[in-house]
Amino acid sequence: MGALTKGRYLVLRGLLLLIYCTASVISKGGATGDAQPDAVPSVQGTLPHFIQEPEDAYIVKSNPIKLRCRAVPALQIFFKCNGEWVHQNEHFSHEYKDLNTGLKVREVMINVSRQQVEDFHGPEDYWCLCVAWSHLGTSKSRKATVRIAYLRKNFEQDPQGKEVPINGMIVLHCRPPEGVPAAEVEWLKNEELVSSLTDDNIDTRADHNLIINEARLSDSGNYTCLASNVVAKRRSATATVIVFVNGGWSLWTEWSACNAPCGRGVQKRSRTCTNPAPLNGGAFCEGMSVQKITCNAPCPIDGGWNEWSQWTVCSSQCERQRTRECNSPVPRHRGKMCEGNSEATENCTDGLCTQNRKLLHDVKPQSMESSNDVALYSGLGAGIITVAILVVAVMLYRKNHSEYGVDVIDSSALTGGFQSFNFKNTRQGNPLLLNSSMQPDLTVGRTYSTPLCFQDSTDKELFDPLPDIKVKVQSSFMVSLGVAERAEFHAKAPAETFPRDLSRDYCSTMDRRKKGLLTLNGPFSSCKEPLRTTGVFGHHGGRLVVPNTGVSLLVPHGSVAENMSWEMYMVINQGEASVQTLDSCEILLGPEVTYGPPGLDLFCPVAMTIAHCAEVDAENWNIQLKRRTQDSKWEEVMSVEEESTSCYCLMDSTSCHLLLDQPGSYALVGEPLTQAAIKRLKLAVFGTMEVGSMSYTLRVYCVDDTPHAFQGVVAAEKTRGGQLLEEPKMLPFRANTFSLQVSIQDVPQFLWSIKPFTTCQEFSFPQVWCSNQQPLHCAFSLERYSPATAQLSCKISVRQVKGHEQILQVYTAVAETEKESVPFFMQTDCTITSQTGPKAFKIPLSIRQRICATFDTANAKGKDWQLLAQKLHLDRNLGYFAKQRSPSAVILSLWEARHQDTSDLDSLASALEEIGKIHSKSSPKDQDECESDSIHIQASSLYGTGRLTSQNTEDCASEYTG
């Protein structure tokens, strides 16, 4: 039906309805006296009243909606949509009687389809209303809108993850997708509904946002914004909220007792970062966890007797008494009580009284009993004097008949009356020293309390002055006898008796060493040229190495900005001038190293490795890192036992690994806290045969046990043509102020001669303790009786009084026909001093980046760089790592420096594999499983990589080892 036909039809229909209603009113008015039907109440005088009006509706997908109207009294009800009447055929109507009121109710319903709404194009939404007719007129219902429901997929704003401190406010913003009707928003935490009705700390009513007024640890989790309407539900991206706790220091503990039983010592107190402990990636406590102060423990004072009192009056028992008291001084501070009796009693009657019912003259005086002892001792003394005279006579006789004026004696003659020794048998086999199958005997044996060789009254500085000067070394005792005309000394110092209390006189001993003995280093001059190595490094980083010194510098990847490069250098100072500026109680434990250039600007710290000679023990050593200032003074950077955020120091048994931000000169110094502090010495014996002579010289070196210090010995012996006669050995040297004795033993007397009283030589304690990386040495000059003697076998004993001993076994050929020098330096001289790019690192760059990406991200379950540091045994001074841009990268750089001598990455791979297993057990979620799989993949990628790395460095085996 066309629009015009439809309009005419509606108008005609309305006129007919109006005529019908008018006729009905007239007929009813003319018959007012007629009775109304009993079943229908009289409501003809009212307009239609709507019991139910059409409501707004939404079309979901393609499902039509139904609009309903109910009115009373109503003769007819029609729907009008968008200003047009709905066709009668589209109406569904029926009439029924209301049981409560007895009135007839008319109900009409129409369907509205999605197509009808989509075809409508008007200024308003699609709308419909009801029109009801009664005898008095019409009534209209409210307009009901019909809209097509939808909900878009993408949120206008997703919530973002946050890291907030505990008790802070958390605000998660969410703007749901556009939709009709508007979406309602709910929040999920770990897939559970969050309700502000059950938790007053949470507010979800403000513009769809989630507000947590005061963050709690339990508020950490994964939050999701959920939007929904009649069409669908939409989930936002998950926002991870981490509530972290910054670490706080606990209270300081009480100061510990002074660790020195007597004199100068150290007291400590500590605190822990547990109040509260850092959690969920919270910042570590800043500052030191341990404080140290010096202390002076009172030394024990032994008691002493005062004078005896006067004798008392003679008693009836024929006795008199006298007393004394132990108060001069009174024993204090755990000192010993006086020995002896405090009372004395004697007889006082001279035989005029009886004692124990006997006459006193019958009691044998005590003086008579002692007379026999006097006679006995006098006889023994006379016998000893007679034997001594005979010995001197024999020696003088043999002196007149000896080629050298005195008899040749072995060290066994000088140790008579002392302890006996059992040495190893002479090694059999090739007499020419050094083959790699001979393993050094590092057994440190006996501890002695008495001297083992002749003691001179003065210190003996027994060094060769220059490499080309031959010096006969003899004792000062022989000089005094006039038998050592050719003896030469660098300096003579008066006899020093070092007290056994280290803390009381140690510093003064060091002062004497630095004033008078610093030049006693034989041929090793303080004017040596410094060792220097350079390299140009860019964004990919690299490594600098000073060969055969134990010193290296690691420049991490990314420390230099892209498109930039720096020419960096590293220098080892071989002089003594700067070392003398250190405090008098401190000694140098390794070489002084400088790296630069000044003004170097890097994004992350470099890792420097320096070999040291200390037996690391916090109870016995106070080891510090010092840096030289612009005015050539030394300032303390940190103590290795304390925590610092300016630099990092990791002490291994033989090396110190430093993380440094500033270029400059650095030195590792140590101060002994007790006499148990130990410095390692390396012992070596070299020999040379003088051409055209019957003499053979043995030189024994005592040097700090670092590769750099031993290189000085090697360089000097190369110029002399010396041969290493025994593999170097290590001797622990204690800070007990006792000297070091070097003696030659078991020299075949029928083949070789040696000056008497020169078989034992001695270094004073300050010379050895304060050598500061400079070698000490002494020489023994032997002469063979016959040119046919082609071999020399003897033993060199090096021992510290009341300390340890080492034996160097000498067994070598000395024939003049053998001119070839036996190689004594077993490591090959490496010419590669710098490496750049990936070949300088053990960890491949791709794996390194994946490890950093995994562990640098904070995680609520603790899977971050702190766990990595723990598994790599680098979990001290965590505050330093926390301040870095990438803590994991700095940890890996330190691991690289620490394991540069190893050939594979198995230890790192094992740590990552262990972390992966921990995650897989504690994290069943899919995302955590992915992270665990990633860690396992990284670990498996590292296995075998080290073997590849070792092949790249095979050509230079000693490059990193020194």
Side-chain angles (χ1 to χ4, degrees):
M1 180 183 298
L4 182 58
T5 306
K6 185 177 179 180
R8 292 177 178 176
Y9 166 77
L10 293 176
V11 172
L12 179 60
R13 181 180 175 186
L15 292 176
L16 292 175
L17 183 59
L18 181 59
I19 294 172
Y20 170 77
C21 292
T22 305
S24 299
V25 172
I26 295 173
S27 62
K28 290 178 182 178
T32 55
D34 298 339
Q36 297 292 334
D38 297 335
V40 181
S42 177
V43 291
Q44 302 299 328
T46 61
L47 292 174
H49 169 67
F50 286 99
I51 301 175
Q52 179 181 359
E53 295 182 278
E55 297 179 352
D56 296 338
Y58 298 93
I59 295 177
V60 179
K61 298 182 180 179
S62 298
N63 300 321
I65 56 98
K66 300 180 184 300
L67 297 179
R68 289 184 173 86
C69 279
R70 285 189 294 172
V72 60
L75 300 177
Q76 284 293 339
I77 300 177
F78 290 98
F79 273 93
K80 193 175 187 180
C81 295
N82 302 318
E84 296 184 356
W85 295 101
V86 178
H87 195 276
Q88 185 177 6
N89 295 336
E90 298 177 10
H91 289 75
F92 302 92
S93 63
H94 71 281
E95 194 175 51
Y96 63 92
K97 182 186 294 186
D98 190 345
L99 299 178
N100 294 327
T101 61
L103 299 177
K104 287 184 179 182
V105 179
R106 180 172 293 275
E107 180 178 359
V108 178
M109 181 189 70
I110 64 171
N111 292 327
V112 179
S113 66
R114 182 186 185 96
Q115 187 65 38
Q116 289 177 293
V117 177
E118 289 178 348
D119 291 342
F120 173 70
H121 302 285
E124 299 178 316
D125 292 329
Y126 191 98
W127 59 268
C128 293
L129 58 81
C130 293
V131 180
W133 279 268
S134 69
H135 296 290
L136 294 181
T138 61
S139 296
K140 293 182 180 180
S141 69
R142 62 178 295 275
K143 283 185 179 181
T145 60
V146 179
R147 304 174 66 185
I148 298 176
Y150 67 92
L151 184 62
R152 301 195 183 279
K153 292 184 178 181
N154 298 326
F155 279 72
E156 295 183 3
Q157 182 178 4
D158 284 310
Q160 301 296 319
K162 292 181 178 294
E163 296 181 12
V164 294
I166 193 168
N167 297 326
M169 176 178 285
I170 303 175
V171 179
L172 297 179
H173 298 278
C174 176
R175 293 175 61 187
E178 179 185 354
V180 174
E184 296 180 356
V185 172
E186 294 177 312
W187 285 91
L188 301 178
K189 173 191 171 186
N190 298 332
E191 304 304 323
E192 295 182 1
L193 188 64
V194 176
S195 175
S196 59
L197 300 178
T198 58
D199 192 345
D200 295 337
N201 194 38
I202 297 178
D203 184 6
T204 59
R205 298 167 296 180
D207 297 330
H208 308 305
N209 298 329
L210 174 64
I211 300 175
I212 301 178
N213 297 316
E214 294 185 1
R216 302 156 296 190
L217 288 176
S218 59
D219 292 325
S220 297
N222 297 321
Y223 287 82
T224 306
C225 181
L226 184 64
S228 61
N229 63 5
V230 296
V231 179
K233 291 184 178 181
R234 300 282 186 255
R235 293 171 60 95
S236 69
T238 300
T240 300
V241 173
I242 298 176
V243 180
F244 62 85
V245 179
N246 291 325
W249 289 115
S250 64
L251 297 177
W252 287 103
T253 60
E254 296 294 332
W255 288 104
S256 65
C258 195
N259 65 346
C262 171
R264 185 170 180 268
V266 172
Q267 285 181 288
K268 297 180 182 179
R269 66 173 184 175
S270 61
R271 56 180 179 175
T272 57
C273 189
T274 57
N275 187 30
L279 191 63
N280 296 341
F284 199 81
C285 303
E286 294 187 359
M288 298 182 299
S289 62
V290 178
Q291 282 187 344
K292 295 181 181 179
I293 58 173
T294 57
C295 57
N296 286 291
C299 294
I301 299 177
D302 296 337
W305 294 111
N306 64 354
E307 296 295 332
W308 286 102
S309 65
Q310 296 296 325
W311 288 105
T312 61
V313 178
C314 192
S315 67
S316 60
Q317 302 296 325
C318 306
E319 294 178 343
R320 61 178 181 177
Q321 291 86 25
R322 64 177 179 176
T323 60
R324 58 180 178 176
E325 295 182 357
C326 186
N327 57 10
S328 295
V330 177
R332 288 180 295 173
H333 311 310
R334 305 176 306 279
K336 297 180 180 179
M337 291 294 295
C338 301
E339 296 182 358
N341 297 324
S342 62
E343 296 183 357
T345 303
E346 71 174 6
N347 189 278
C348 57
T349 60
D350 294 330
L352 299 179
C353 183
T354 61
Q355 181 177 357
N356 296 330
R357 298 184 179 182
K358 294 182 180 180
L359 290 174
L360 281 183
H361 59 77
D362 292 336
V363 181
K364 188 176 182 179
Q366 185 178 1
S367 60
M368 295 177 63
E369 296 178 356
S370 62
S371 62
N372 293 333
D373 295 339
V374 173
L376 175 63
Y377 291 134
S378 299
L380 290 176
I384 293 173
I385 293 174
T386 303
V387 172
I389 293 174
L390 291 175
V391 170
V392 171
V394 170
M395 291 180 61
L396 292 177
Y397 173 80
R398 298 186 66 178
K399 172 183 176 182
N400 294 330
H401 293 80
S402 172
E403 181 182 358
Y404 293 99
V406 290
D407 192 13
V408 178
I409 63 173
D410 189 64
S411 61
S412 59
L414 299 178
T415 58
F418 296 95
Q419 296 177 343
S420 61
F421 304 92
N422 293 320
F423 298 108
K424 298 179 295 183
N425 294 330
T426 304
R427 292 182 296 186
Q428 303 297 326
N430 184 4
L432 296 177
L433 180 92
L434 280 180
N435 54 64
S436 59
S437 63
M438 297 180 183
Q439 297 299 325
D441 180 12
L442 296 180
T443 305
V444 286
R446 304 160 288 275
T447 301
Y448 306 94
S449 59
T450 57
L452 294 183
C453 61
F454 183 80
Q455 295 288 329
D456 289 344
S457 59
T458 60
D459 290 342
K460 296 172 282 299
E461 281 68 32
L462 304 169
F463 309 106
D464 293 341
L466 290 174
D468 56 348
I469 297 179
K470 178 170 61 178
V471 179
K472 295 283 187 176
V473 183
Q474 300 179 355
S475 69
S476 57
F477 178 74
M478 296 302 297
V479 174
S480 65
L481 292 178
V483 227
E485 298 86 356
R486 292 176 295 176
E488 296 185 12
F489 298 89
H490 286 284
K492 276 197 174 183
E496 293 179 352
T497 302
F498 297 102
R500 301 300 173 253
D501 182 5
L502 174 71
S503 58
R504 196 180 305 166
D505 296 313
Y506 177 81
C507 295
S508 62
T509 304
M510 299 302 102
D511 291 337
R512 292 197 297 272
R513 158 67 178 163
K514 294 194 174 187
K515 292 178 182 177
L517 300 176
L518 270 177
T519 60
L520 301 179
N521 290 320
F524 301 96
S525 171
S526 61
C527 299
K528 287 184 178 181
E529 290 295 328
L531 297 177
R532 182 184 180 95
T533 181
T534 61
V536 178
F537 299 96
H539 183 69
H540 296 290
R543 192 189 300 265
L544 269 179
V545 177
V546 182
N548 305 320
T549 61
V551 177
S552 63
L553 184 73
L554 181 73
V555 183
H557 176 274
S559 57
V560 179
E562 294 188 20
N563 303 323
M564 284 192 63
S565 62
W566 286 90
E567 182 179 2
M568 300 177 63
Y569 62 83
M570 190 164 53
V571 179
I572 298 180
N573 180 27
Q574 302 197 90
E576 288 186 349
S578 61
V579 175
Q580 290 179 336
T581 62
L582 297 175
D583 295 339
S584 59
C585 292
E586 297 172 340
I587 63 171
L588 195 63
L589 299 179
E592 173 194 336
V593 181
T594 303
Y595 88 93
L600 183 65
D601 185 17
L602 300 177
F603 291 117
C604 58
V606 298
M608 178 185 290
T609 299
I610 303 176
H612 67 81
C613 61
E615 290 287 344
V616 181
D617 187 348
E619 296 298 326
N620 300 323
W621 280 103
N622 178 25
I623 301 177
Q624 298 176 346
L625 178 66
K626 294 201 172 186
R627 178 173 53 218
R628 187 164 55 184
T629 60
Q630 294 182 351
D631 54 356
S632 297
K633 295 183 179 180
W634 289 87
E635 63 178 2
E636 179 183 348
V637 179
M638 68 173 296
S639 174
V640 297
E641 292 299 323
E642 298 175 356
E643 297 187 352
S644 171
T645 56
S646 60
C647 67
Y648 191 97
C649 182
L650 176 65
M651 293 291 292
D652 282 342
S653 58
T654 59
S655 298
C656 173
H657 309 284
L658 307 171
L659 294 176
L660 304 173
D661 296 313
Q662 301 179 11
S665 298
Y666 293 89
L668 196 67
V669 299
E671 178 186 4
L673 302 178
T674 67
Q675 294 188 14
I678 291 178
K679 182 176 82 165
R680 299 190 313 274
L681 298 180
K682 180 170 285 189
L683 311 177
V685 55
F686 291 80
T688 53
M689 185 71 187
E690 300 178 11
V691 179
S693 172
M694 305 284 282
S695 299
Y696 190 84
T697 303
L698 296 177
R699 287 180 295 278
V700 182
Y701 290 86
C702 304
V703 60
D704 292 349
D705 188 15
T706 62
H708 164 256
F710 189 65
Q711 288 310 298
V713 176
V714 172
E717 285 298 323
K718 279 185 176 180
T719 62
R720 291 181 171 183
Q723 291 180 328
L724 183 64
L725 305 180
E726 167 68 313
E727 296 181 13
K729 295 185 178 181
M730 190 275 290
L731 175 71
F733 190 78
R734 293 183 178 274
N736 57 7
T737 71
F738 286 98
S739 60
L740 186 72
Q741 296 175 345
V742 183
S743 61
I744 184 170
Q745 302 170 355
D746 299 343
V747 178
Q749 298 186 15
F750 54 89
L751 298 176
W752 294 86
S753 64
I754 186 173
K755 289 290 184 180
F757 302 105
T758 63
T759 56
C760 183
Q761 304 179 28
E762 183 172 352
F763 296 110
S764 65
F765 174 80
Q767 289 176 265
V768 182
W769 189 257
C770 299
S771 59
N772 287 338
Q773 303 290 297
Q774 298 297 321
L776 302 174
H777 83 282
C778 62
F780 298 98
S781 181
L782 297 92
E783 190 159 349
R784 51 186 173 171
Y785 291 114
S786 171
T789 302
Q791 290 184 341
L792 171 64
S793 64
C794 62
K795 296 176 182 177
I796 304 294
S797 171
V798 184
R799 63 176 290 274
Q800 183 184 17
V801 179
K802 291 190 177 181
H804 297 86
E805 180 190 26
Q806 274 288 9
I807 299 296
L808 299 173
Q809 179 69 54
V810 176
Y811 190 86
T812 183
V814 296
E816 293 184 12
T817 56
E818 299 185 14
K819 302 297 183 180
E820 296 182 0
S821 176
V822 179
F824 50 80
F825 187 50
M826 305 307 297
Q827 294 173 325
T828 59
D829 290 333
C830 181
T831 58
I832 301 177
T833 59
S834 67
Q835 283 187 325
T836 59
K839 63 182 179 180
F841 302 97
K842 294 182 175 298
I843 306 175
L845 178 59
S846 59
I847 297 179
R848 178 188 179 95
Q849 292 174 340
R850 292 171 62 184
I851 294 175
C852 293
T854 302
F855 291 101
D856 280 344
T857 305
N859 191 290
K861 297 181 180 179
K863 297 178 290 186
D864 56 8
W865 59 266
Q866 297 187 38
L867 182 59
L868 177 64
Q870 177 186 353
K871 295 303 178 183
L872 294 180
H873 308 292
L874 302 173
D875 52 345
R876 60 176 299 273
N877 199 6
L878 295 178
Y880 178 83
F881 297 128
K883 294 187 64 177
Q884 304 301 320
R885 296 169 55 184
S886 174
S888 301
V890 178
I891 291 172
L892 294 179
S893 296
L894 184 59
W895 185 92
E896 285 257 11
R898 191 180 191 185
H899 295 82
Q900 58 182 305
D901 296 337
T902 59
S903 59
D904 56 52
L905 300 170
D906 289 350
S907 62
L908 178 59
S910 299
L912 293 176
E913 188 173 17
E914 184 177 352
I915 294 174
K917 291 180 180 178
I918 294 175
H919 289 180
S920 60
K921 291 180 180 179
S922 60
S923 306
K925 300 296 182 182
D926 293 341
Q927 182 180 358
D928 295 330
E929 289 177 358
C930 293
E931 293 179 4
S932 299
D933 293 341
S934 175
I935 295 174
H936 281 297
I937 292 172
Q938 295 168 22
S940 61
S941 300
L942 289 174
Y943 282 113
T945 305
R947 300 178 181 85
L948 211 57
T949 307
S950 64
Q951 294 175 2
N952 296 336
T953 58
E954 226 170 28
D955 297 334
C956 183
S958 64
E959 176 182 355
Y960 300 140
T961 60

